[in-house]
């Protein structure tokens, strides 16, 4: 996405995405998907999908410029299309979240999840408004992704939870509890950025244990996907990244802000679970640990074709 004065000036794959596609040998496959990146209106099925959702993730920068990915939780209808290019989010991030009071006027990325049916929608645009009632995003791109690696989850309101009673913990070092959450995760969310194409929020999934931990760094194998390489393309240009881990049983959240790089030459090595030879390596610079407000998992089934841990 290429924005000038809040408007989409160009679309299609940028240089970073093209570089990764060529090195991965999938440029021709990716080219057939270019049309997905064209500006579209939030009409019909897209508007209906958004209206029924209860969970989304937003990627943006805080007032100090650090990149974060944060959960957005609400009853069905909290994501409301108010015009073909305007999305109203009738909630805010939780108290103490690093994106609490994130400045308006910046590009943002969202991924909206329907875990039970294995569906997700990525949205890129500009945060044009933020108030006590929620957020407003002017949308430039909206497109679906395949169901690969989405663990099936049913989420339900948990009115007894009171995460507001516990102040989120900010730190620069992972605790033992943080490490255990990362090592047991089967899902996380990745936020990336590009200097002229905006922000991106994406989903990553695999078997429990697919994310590896080394001191304050984490890495994960890259699986075969849609060959667009939106996230890796951004990281090729701008290494800033954000990770969000959610324990859907306890509601515990772990947000990491730092830098990431792509490693290419690991084919056949231990940890090359997707047999691509690629992995992403992330270094944590800051973290926030908290809890989701008012929603918990009631049912969970693994995606049936998760790659095996090697």
């Amino acid at each position: 996405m290429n924005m000038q004065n809040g408007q989409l000036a160009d679309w299609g794959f940028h240089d970073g995405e093209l570089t990764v596609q060529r090195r991965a040998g999938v440029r021709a496959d990716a080219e057939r998907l270019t049309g997905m990146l064209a500006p579209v209106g939030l009409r019909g099925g897209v508007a209906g999908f958004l209206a029924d959702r209860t969970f989304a993730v937003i990627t943006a920068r805080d007032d100090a410029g650090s990149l974060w990915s944060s959960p957005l939780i609400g009853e069905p209808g909290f994501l409301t299309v108010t015009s073909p290019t305007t999305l109203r989010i009738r909630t805010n991030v939780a108290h103490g979240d690093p994106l609490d009071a994130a400045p308006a006027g910046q590009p943002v990325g969202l991924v909206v999840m329907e875990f039970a049916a294995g569906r997700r929608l990525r949205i890129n645009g500009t945060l044009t408004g933020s108030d006590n009632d929620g957020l407003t995003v002017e949308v430039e791109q909206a497109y679906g992704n395949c169901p690969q690696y989405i663990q099936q989850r049913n989420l339900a309101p948990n009115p007894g939870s009171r995460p507001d009673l516990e102040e989120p913990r900010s730190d620069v070092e992972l605790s033992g509890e943080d490490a255990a959450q990362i090592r047991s995760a089967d899902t996380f969310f990745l936020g990336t950025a590009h200097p002229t194409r905006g922000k991106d929020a994406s989903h990553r999934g695999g078997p429990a244990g697919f994310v590896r931990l080394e001191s304050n760094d984490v890495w994960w194998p890259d699986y075969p996907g849609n060959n667009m390489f939106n996230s890796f393309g951004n990281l090729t240009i701008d290494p800033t990244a954000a990770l969000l881990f959610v324990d859907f049983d306890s509601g515990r959240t772990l947000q990491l802000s730092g830098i990431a790089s792509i490693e290419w030459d690991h084919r056949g090595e231990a940890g090359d679970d997707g047999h691509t030879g690629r992995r992403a390596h992330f270094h944590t610079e800051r973290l926030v640990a908290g809890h989701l407000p008012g929603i918990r998992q009631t049912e969970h089934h693994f995606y049936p074709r998760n790659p095996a841990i090697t």
Side-chain angles (χ1 to χ4, degrees), residues 13 24 95 121 131 149 163 170-171 174 184 205 218 223 250 278 289 305 310:
F13 295 113
H95 169 71
L121 180 74
D131 55 42
Y149 319 121
S170 297
D171 209 338
L174 294 166
S184 64
V218 299
Y223 295 163
S250 69
R278 301 183 298 268
R305 293 182 294 280
T310 60

PDB file of all heavy atoms in Angstrom, residues 13 24 95 121 131 149 163 170-171 174 184 205 218 223 250 278 289 305 310:
ATOM      1  N   PHE A  13       2.628  -5.370  -5.525  1.00  0.00           N
ATOM      2  CA  PHE A  13       3.726  -5.767  -4.651  1.00  0.00           C
ATOM      3  C   PHE A  13       4.836  -4.726  -4.660  1.00  0.00           C
ATOM      4  O   PHE A  13       5.202  -4.187  -5.701  1.00  0.00           O
ATOM      5  CB  PHE A  13       4.281  -7.115  -5.100  1.00  0.00           C
ATOM      6  CG  PHE A  13       3.302  -8.250  -4.948  1.00  0.00           C
ATOM      7  CD1 PHE A  13       2.794  -8.900  -6.069  1.00  0.00           C
ATOM      8  CD2 PHE A  13       2.881  -8.663  -3.700  1.00  0.00           C
ATOM      9  CE1 PHE A  13       1.899  -9.947  -5.937  1.00  0.00           C
ATOM     10  CE2 PHE A  13       1.982  -9.703  -3.551  1.00  0.00           C
ATOM     11  CZ  PHE A  13       1.488 -10.347  -4.673  1.00  0.00           C
ATOM     12  N   ALA A  24      12.494 -16.941  -3.246  1.00  0.00           N
ATOM     13  CA  ALA A  24      11.788 -18.174  -2.920  1.00  0.00           C
ATOM     14  C   ALA A  24      11.364 -18.944  -4.164  1.00  0.00           C
ATOM     15  O   ALA A  24      10.877 -20.075  -4.058  1.00  0.00           O
ATOM     16  CB  ALA A  24      10.554 -17.849  -2.080  1.00  0.00           C
ATOM     17  N   HIS A  95      -6.878  -1.182  28.815  1.00  0.00           N
ATOM     18  CA  HIS A  95      -6.122  -0.251  29.644  1.00  0.00           C
ATOM     19  C   HIS A  95      -4.710  -0.777  29.870  1.00  0.00           C
ATOM     20  O   HIS A  95      -4.509  -1.956  30.179  1.00  0.00           O
ATOM     21  CB  HIS A  95      -6.823  -0.067  30.995  1.00  0.00           C
ATOM     22  CG  HIS A  95      -5.985   0.668  31.993  1.00  0.00           C
ATOM     23  ND1 HIS A  95      -5.711   2.017  31.885  1.00  0.00           N
ATOM     24  CD2 HIS A  95      -5.331   0.233  33.114  1.00  0.00           C
ATOM     25  CE1 HIS A  95      -4.940   2.394  32.895  1.00  0.00           C
ATOM     26  NE2 HIS A  95      -4.701   1.339  33.654  1.00  0.00           N
ATOM     27  N   LEU A 121      -9.426 -12.025   7.572  1.00  0.00           N
ATOM     28  CA  LEU A 121      -9.470 -10.896   6.643  1.00  0.00           C
ATOM     29  C   LEU A 121      -8.422  -9.885   7.068  1.00  0.00           C
ATOM     30  O   LEU A 121      -8.384  -9.480   8.236  1.00  0.00           O
ATOM     31  CB  LEU A 121     -10.858 -10.250   6.658  1.00  0.00           C
ATOM     32  CG  LEU A 121     -11.050  -9.050   5.727  1.00  0.00           C
ATOM     33  CD1 LEU A 121     -11.144  -9.523   4.273  1.00  0.00           C
ATOM     34  CD2 LEU A 121     -12.307  -8.264   6.106  1.00  0.00           C
ATOM     35  N   ASP A 131     -11.271   7.915  19.873  1.00  0.00           N
ATOM     36  CA  ASP A 131     -11.966   8.589  20.961  1.00  0.00           C
ATOM     37  C   ASP A 131     -12.353   7.574  22.020  1.00  0.00           C
ATOM     38  O   ASP A 131     -11.986   6.401  21.938  1.00  0.00           O
ATOM     39  CB  ASP A 131     -13.189   9.359  20.436  1.00  0.00           C
ATOM     40  CG  ASP A 131     -14.147   8.476  19.651  1.00  0.00           C
ATOM     41  OD1 ASP A 131     -14.395   7.333  20.076  1.00  0.00           O
ATOM     42  OD2 ASP A 131     -14.661   8.937  18.606  1.00  0.00           O
ATOM     43  N   TYR A 149      -3.249 -23.318   8.724  1.00  0.00           N
ATOM     44  CA  TYR A 149      -2.610 -23.186  10.025  1.00  0.00           C
ATOM     45  C   TYR A 149      -3.452 -22.417  11.045  1.00  0.00           C
ATOM     46  O   TYR A 149      -2.934 -22.010  12.089  1.00  0.00           O
ATOM     47  CB  TYR A 149      -1.214 -22.548   9.899  1.00  0.00           C
ATOM     48  CG  TYR A 149      -0.434 -23.064   8.711  1.00  0.00           C
ATOM     49  CD1 TYR A 149       0.024 -22.212   7.710  1.00  0.00           C
ATOM     50  CD2 TYR A 149      -0.185 -24.428   8.563  1.00  0.00           C
ATOM     51  CE1 TYR A 149       0.714 -22.693   6.611  1.00  0.00           C
ATOM     52  CE2 TYR A 149       0.514 -24.920   7.465  1.00  0.00           C
ATOM     53  CZ  TYR A 149       0.954 -24.041   6.490  1.00  0.00           C
ATOM     54  OH  TYR A 149       1.633 -24.533   5.394  1.00  0.00           O
ATOM     55  N   PRO A 163      -9.656  -8.241  33.950  1.00  0.00           N
ATOM     56  CA  PRO A 163      -8.246  -7.916  33.697  1.00  0.00           C
ATOM     57  C   PRO A 163      -7.904  -6.487  34.073  1.00  0.00           C
ATOM     58  O   PRO A 163      -6.728  -6.152  34.244  1.00  0.00           O
ATOM     59  CB  PRO A 163      -8.107  -8.147  32.185  1.00  0.00           C
ATOM     60  CG  PRO A 163      -9.492  -8.011  31.652  1.00  0.00           C
ATOM     61  CD  PRO A 163     -10.393  -8.543  32.726  1.00  0.00           C
ATOM     62  N   SER A 170       5.269  -4.164  32.149  1.00  0.00           N
ATOM     63  CA  SER A 170       6.182  -3.737  31.091  1.00  0.00           C
ATOM     64  C   SER A 170       7.596  -4.126  31.477  1.00  0.00           C
ATOM     65  O   SER A 170       7.998  -4.000  32.641  1.00  0.00           O
ATOM     66  CB  SER A 170       6.100  -2.223  30.883  1.00  0.00           C
ATOM     67  OG  SER A 170       4.812  -1.838  30.458  1.00  0.00           O
ATOM     68  N   ASP A 171       8.364  -4.601  30.489  1.00  0.00           N
ATOM     69  CA  ASP A 171       9.697  -5.113  30.803  1.00  0.00           C
ATOM     70  C   ASP A 171      10.545  -5.102  29.540  1.00  0.00           C
ATOM     71  O   ASP A 171      10.055  -4.815  28.439  1.00  0.00           O
ATOM     72  CB  ASP A 171       9.582  -6.538  31.349  1.00  0.00           C
ATOM     73  CG  ASP A 171      10.700  -6.907  32.313  1.00  0.00           C
ATOM     74  OD1 ASP A 171      11.774  -6.271  32.256  1.00  0.00           O
ATOM     75  OD2 ASP A 171      10.507  -7.837  33.131  1.00  0.00           O
ATOM     76  N   LEU A 174      12.287 -11.277  29.075  1.00  0.00           N
ATOM     77  CA  LEU A 174      11.241 -12.276  29.220  1.00  0.00           C
ATOM     78  C   LEU A 174      11.346 -12.979  30.569  1.00  0.00           C
ATOM     79  O   LEU A 174      12.439 -13.353  31.000  1.00  0.00           O
ATOM     80  CB  LEU A 174      11.343 -13.313  28.103  1.00  0.00           C
ATOM     81  CG  LEU A 174      11.078 -12.821  26.675  1.00  0.00           C
ATOM     82  CD1 LEU A 174      11.556 -13.857  25.672  1.00  0.00           C
ATOM     83  CD2 LEU A 174       9.598 -12.530  26.476  1.00  0.00           C
ATOM     84  N   SER A 184       4.617 -22.848  24.446  1.00  0.00           N
ATOM     85  CA  SER A 184       3.397 -23.650  24.331  1.00  0.00           C
ATOM     86  C   SER A 184       2.425 -23.110  23.276  1.00  0.00           C
ATOM     87  O   SER A 184       1.389 -23.727  23.027  1.00  0.00           O
ATOM     88  CB  SER A 184       2.686 -23.723  25.686  1.00  0.00           C
ATOM     89  OG  SER A 184       2.253 -22.433  26.100  1.00  0.00           O
ATOM     90  N   GLY A 205       0.330 -19.727  12.629  1.00  0.00           N
ATOM     91  CA  GLY A 205      -0.105 -20.866  13.421  1.00  0.00           C
ATOM     92  C   GLY A 205       0.701 -22.102  13.100  1.00  0.00           C
ATOM     93  O   GLY A 205       1.352 -22.198  12.052  1.00  0.00           O
ATOM     94  N   VAL A 218      13.249 -15.009  19.779  1.00  0.00           N
ATOM     95  CA  VAL A 218      12.427 -16.132  19.335  1.00  0.00           C
ATOM     96  C   VAL A 218      12.631 -16.323  17.836  1.00  0.00           C
ATOM     97  O   VAL A 218      13.020 -15.395  17.129  1.00  0.00           O
ATOM     98  CB  VAL A 218      10.917 -15.914  19.632  1.00  0.00           C
ATOM     99  CG1 VAL A 218      10.672 -15.772  21.117  1.00  0.00           C
ATOM    100  CG2 VAL A 218      10.374 -14.699  18.885  1.00  0.00           C
ATOM    101  N   TYR A 223       6.377 -21.520   6.910  1.00  0.00           N
ATOM    102  CA  TYR A 223       5.647 -22.587   6.240  1.00  0.00           C
ATOM    103  C   TYR A 223       5.264 -22.163   4.825  1.00  0.00           C
ATOM    104  O   TYR A 223       5.155 -20.968   4.533  1.00  0.00           O
ATOM    105  CB  TYR A 223       4.364 -22.915   7.006  1.00  0.00           C
ATOM    106  CG  TYR A 223       4.544 -23.485   8.388  1.00  0.00           C
ATOM    107  CD1 TYR A 223       3.485 -23.488   9.281  1.00  0.00           C
ATOM    108  CD2 TYR A 223       5.745 -24.040   8.801  1.00  0.00           C
ATOM    109  CE1 TYR A 223       3.609 -24.021  10.556  1.00  0.00           C
ATOM    110  CE2 TYR A 223       5.893 -24.575  10.065  1.00  0.00           C
ATOM    111  CZ  TYR A 223       4.813 -24.557  10.945  1.00  0.00           C
ATOM    112  OH  TYR A 223       4.948 -25.089  12.201  1.00  0.00           O
ATOM    113  N   SER A 250      -6.477 -18.923  29.551  1.00  0.00           N
ATOM    114  CA  SER A 250      -6.344 -18.040  30.712  1.00  0.00           C
ATOM    115  C   SER A 250      -6.624 -16.582  30.384  1.00  0.00           C
ATOM    116  O   SER A 250      -6.893 -15.777  31.275  1.00  0.00           O
ATOM    117  CB  SER A 250      -4.935 -18.155  31.296  1.00  0.00           C
ATOM    118  OG  SER A 250      -3.981 -17.587  30.403  1.00  0.00           O
ATOM    119  N   ARG A 278      13.454 -21.544   5.216  1.00  0.00           N
ATOM    120  CA  ARG A 278      13.341 -20.174   5.715  1.00  0.00           C
ATOM    121  C   ARG A 278      12.899 -20.177   7.174  1.00  0.00           C
ATOM    122  O   ARG A 278      12.104 -21.009   7.601  1.00  0.00           O
ATOM    123  CB  ARG A 278      12.318 -19.378   4.902  1.00  0.00           C
ATOM    124  CG  ARG A 278      12.613 -19.268   3.427  1.00  0.00           C
ATOM    125  CD  ARG A 278      11.573 -18.389   2.740  1.00  0.00           C
ATOM    126  NE  ARG A 278      10.219 -18.934   2.838  1.00  0.00           N
ATOM    127  CZ  ARG A 278       9.662 -19.741   1.934  1.00  0.00           C
ATOM    128  NH1 ARG A 278      10.354 -20.127   0.862  1.00  0.00           N
ATOM    129  NH2 ARG A 278       8.433 -20.187   2.093  1.00  0.00           N
ATOM    130  N   ALA A 289       2.998  -7.650  29.260  1.00  0.00           N
ATOM    131  CA  ALA A 289       2.207  -8.838  29.574  1.00  0.00           C
ATOM    132  C   ALA A 289       0.940  -8.406  30.304  1.00  0.00           C
ATOM    133  O   ALA A 289       1.010  -7.652  31.278  1.00  0.00           O
ATOM    134  CB  ALA A 289       3.004  -9.811  30.434  1.00  0.00           C
ATOM    135  N   ARG A 305      -3.549 -30.161   9.337  1.00  0.00           N
ATOM    136  CA  ARG A 305      -2.357 -30.319   8.503  1.00  0.00           C
ATOM    137  C   ARG A 305      -1.200 -29.452   8.976  1.00  0.00           C
ATOM    138  O   ARG A 305      -0.383 -28.997   8.168  1.00  0.00           O
ATOM    139  CB  ARG A 305      -2.707 -30.043   7.035  1.00  0.00           C
ATOM    140  CG  ARG A 305      -3.649 -31.092   6.443  1.00  0.00           C
ATOM    141  CD  ARG A 305      -3.952 -30.858   4.985  1.00  0.00           C
ATOM    142  NE  ARG A 305      -4.718 -29.624   4.775  1.00  0.00           N
ATOM    143  CZ  ARG A 305      -6.020 -29.521   4.960  1.00  0.00           C
ATOM    144  NH1 ARG A 305      -6.720 -30.570   5.389  1.00  0.00           N
ATOM    145  NH2 ARG A 305      -6.658 -28.378   4.747  1.00  0.00           N
ATOM    146  N   THR A 310      10.252 -30.729  13.867  1.00  0.00           N
ATOM    147  CA  THR A 310      11.446 -31.518  13.543  1.00  0.00           C
ATOM    148  C   THR A 310      12.548 -31.241  14.561  1.00  0.00           C
ATOM    149  O   THR A 310      12.597 -30.161  15.143  1.00  0.00           O
ATOM    150  CB  THR A 310      11.966 -31.183  12.135  1.00  0.00           C
ATOM    151  OG1 THR A 310      12.311 -29.788  12.084  1.00  0.00           O
ATOM    152  CG2 THR A 310      10.937 -31.474  11.099  1.00  0.00           C
TER     153      THR A 310
END
